[in-house]
Amino acid sequence: MIQIKSAREIGAMRRAGAVTGQALRAARRMVAPGVTTEQIDSVVRETIQKAGAVPSFLQYRGFPASACVSVGEEVIHGIPGPRVLREGDIVSVDAGAYLDGFHGDAAATFPVGRVSEEALKLIRETRTCFYKGLAAAREGARVSDISHAVQQHAEANGFSVVRAFTGHGVGAQLHEDPDVPNFGPPGRGPRLLPGMTLAIEPMVNAGGFAVRVLSDGWTVVTRDGRLSAHYEHTVLITRGEPERLTAWQEEE
């Protein structure tokens, strides 16, 4: 069932979203050749805890870290560890903060030093896919209007969108109804209403859309080994412009 948030609940989600944005900003500052993915996870955890919040992902369904840190062909759910980032890598950081009974959820992909033109384009257009989806997230539209806008932009740029994993509602639970796919025809699914809060999160592959899960049970990689990028915000549907509850300063 889709939860419509009250004014009080939206206030709490703005606070959780602000902490989530701070964590992503701290992670962005850490990204450099020579840094390990567990160092990025540590700064995300410390930032969230210092703000008085709890990392949403830590032990969520058994996930062992505070952030998902996915490198190169890893799409989502990368487990932080001793892996060292190298010049030319791209790395996706997905983080969430739980505060006052509600979650924020956001992600972005960053270049590590100098990267290929293809990697830069993938990062840039994945972010643009999000904003195409955001523009469709208006009162009275349907969920699949978001999905269609994301898919159209990704494919117009020669990329594909992951179909096995989707965006979702977010609120008191990290994952709520409805699912928000990154593909499909417009005009389908639940109608968007003020007070709905959605994690809109394009996952875009340089090659084909097929993915597989590694033996660790978490890490999702592209089946063809090509690069993947991820961009996400928690979005509030309003009577006017949709609001990014997890906006963070460095992306402006």
Side-chain angles (χ1 to χ4, degrees), residues 126-150 153 180 192 198 200-202 231 233 235-244:
T126 300
R127 180 181 175 187
T128 303
C129 281
F130 166 81
Y131 283 101
K132 295 289 184 180
L134 181 71
R138 307 300 293 255
E139 179 185 12
R142 301 278 186 177
V143 166
S144 79
D145 294 332
I146 300 171
S147 314
H148 186 68
V150 168
H153 187 77
V180 185
L192 300 178
L198 307 174
I200 299 174
E201 50 176 324
Y231 197 89
H233 277 295
V235 173
L236 169 68
I237 306 301
T238 76
R239 296 196 182 283
E241 295 290 329
E243 178 181 344
R244 294 170 305 150

Side-chain angles (χ1 to χ4, degrees), residues 48-49 89-90 93 97 99 106 109 119 145 148 182 218:
I48 291 171
Q49 292 176 337
D89 283 338
I90 63 171
V93 181
L99 182 66
T109 300
D145 294 332
H148 186 68
N182 291 309
W218 282 103

Side-chain angles (χ1 to χ4, degrees), residues 53-95:
V54 174
S56 299
F57 297 177
L58 186 60
Q59 294 306 318
Y60 180 76
R61 298 178 180 171
F63 189 75
S66 299
C68 301
V69 186
S70 308
V71 182
E73 77 282 6
E74 295 175 352
V75 180
I76 50 172
H77 302 166
I79 299 174
R83 181 172 182 170
V84 177
L85 298 180
R86 298 180 178 178
E87 181 92 15
D89 283 338
I90 63 171
V91 59
S92 302
V93 181
D94 190 352

Side-chain angles (χ1 to χ4, degrees), residues 26-218:
R28 173 69 186 95
R29 290 175 170 173
M30 281 288 294
V31 170
V35 171
T36 67
T37 56
E38 63 190 356
Q39 285 177 297
I40 294 173
D41 178 63
S42 292
V43 79
V44 166
R45 183 180 64 253
E46 290 165 4
T47 301
I48 291 171
Q49 292 176 337
K50 192 174 294 185
V54 174
S56 299
F57 297 177
L58 186 60
Q59 294 306 318
Y60 180 76
R61 298 178 180 171
F63 189 75
S66 299
C68 301
V69 186
S70 308
V71 182
E73 77 282 6
E74 295 175 352
V75 180
I76 50 172
H77 302 166
I79 299 174
R83 181 172 182 170
V84 177
L85 298 180
R86 298 180 178 178
E87 181 92 15
D89 283 338
I90 63 171
V91 59
S92 302
V93 181
D94 190 352
Y98 181 73
L99 182 66
D100 297 338
F102 289 85
H103 295 275
D105 191 3
T109 300
F110 309 114
V112 182
R114 297 186 64 178
V115 303
S116 68
E117 286 299 320
E118 179 190 53
L120 278 179
K121 180 181 177 184
L122 179 64
I123 292 171
R124 181 179 65 245
E125 300 308 337
T126 300
R127 180 181 175 187
T128 303
C129 281
F130 166 81
Y131 283 101
K132 295 289 184 180
L134 181 71
R138 307 300 293 255
E139 179 185 12
R142 301 278 186 177
V143 166
S144 79
D145 294 332
I146 300 171
S147 314
H148 186 68
V150 168
Q151 182 181 20
Q152 288 285 100
H153 187 77
E155 293 181 352
N157 281 277
F159 300 133
S160 66
V161 289
V162 171
R163 301 178 182 211
F165 296 87
T166 71
H168 51 88
V170 56
Q173 304 298 319
L174 184 57
H175 289 89
E176 297 183 348
D177 289 336
D179 289 341
V180 185
N182 291 309
F183 67 98
R188 308 272 179 90
R191 197 173 292 282
L192 300 178
L193 300 172
M196 290 173 64
T197 46
L198 307 174
I200 299 174
E201 50 176 324
M203 292 161 255
V204 179
N205 294 347
F209 65 78
V211 298
R212 63 187 177 93
V213 180
L214 297 185
S215 59
D216 61 21
W218 282 103

